[in-house]
Amino acid sequence: QVQLVESGGGLVQAGGSLRLSCAASGRTFSIFAMAWFRQAPAKEREFVAAISWNGDITYYADSVKGRFTISIDNAKNTVYLQMNSLSPEDTAGYYCAASSRIATIRSRADYWGQGTQVTVSS
């Protein structure tokens, strides 16, 4: 079993920045990729970014590329999402995910965190 705990969400003004963290515990040896998804009210879940466990491969949604950066600290079993130039369209619950495969991480995951709320005011 893998447990994922997100933190770092909050309220920020448009143009500001936030850094989300996701700490993994349990059977972390089974994790090969981690990702961030988000879901705004009345909208479907949206892929944001993903990273392989060794950090060699990253994926970004077009909507966040150039503004968000995903990174991983293997020593801490923690993945981060640095979010810059935030806009109200980024307002959503952000969820951390982990997978034993990287090939399908952008659409499917084995484990999910409970989420952290990001609200961007205009």
Side-chain angles (χ1 to χ4, degrees):
Q1 182 71 279
V2 173
Q3 302 291 331
L4 304 174
V5 180
E6 302 98 330
S7 62
L11 176 64
V12 65
Q13 293 184 353
S17 299
L18 283 174
R19 190 190 194 198
L20 306 183
S21 299
C22 174
S25 61
R27 296 165 57 89
T28 57
F29 60 84
S30 67
I31 299 175
F32 281 80
M34 299 187 71
W36 290 95
F37 293 80
R38 66 186 182 185
Q39 186 168 18
K43 293 185 178 180
E44 296 183 357
R45 185 182 64 192
E46 176 188 18
F47 168 78
V48 176
I51 188 168
S52 59
W53 188 251
N54 61 13
D56 288 345
I57 302 173
T58 58
Y59 300 104
Y60 293 95
D62 289 340
S63 60
V64 307
K65 192 172 184 178
R67 299 188 298 122
F68 292 9
T69 302
I70 190 169
S71 61
I72 191 165
D73 185 340
N74 290 328
K76 297 181 179 180
N77 293 329
T78 300
V79 65
Y80 303 94
L81 185 68
Q82 178 66 45
M83 305 184 295
N84 299 327
S85 301
L86 286 164
S87 69
E89 288 74 23
D90 296 313
T91 295
Y94 283 71
Y95 297 86
C96 180
S99 176
S100 60
R101 296 172 53 85
I102 191 169
T104 57
I105 189 63
R106 287 170 287 183
S107 60
R108 186 168 60 201
D110 300 311
Y111 306 98
W112 294 88
Q114 296 186 43
T116 185
Q117 178 66 34
V118 172
T119 302
V120 184
S121 62
S122 59

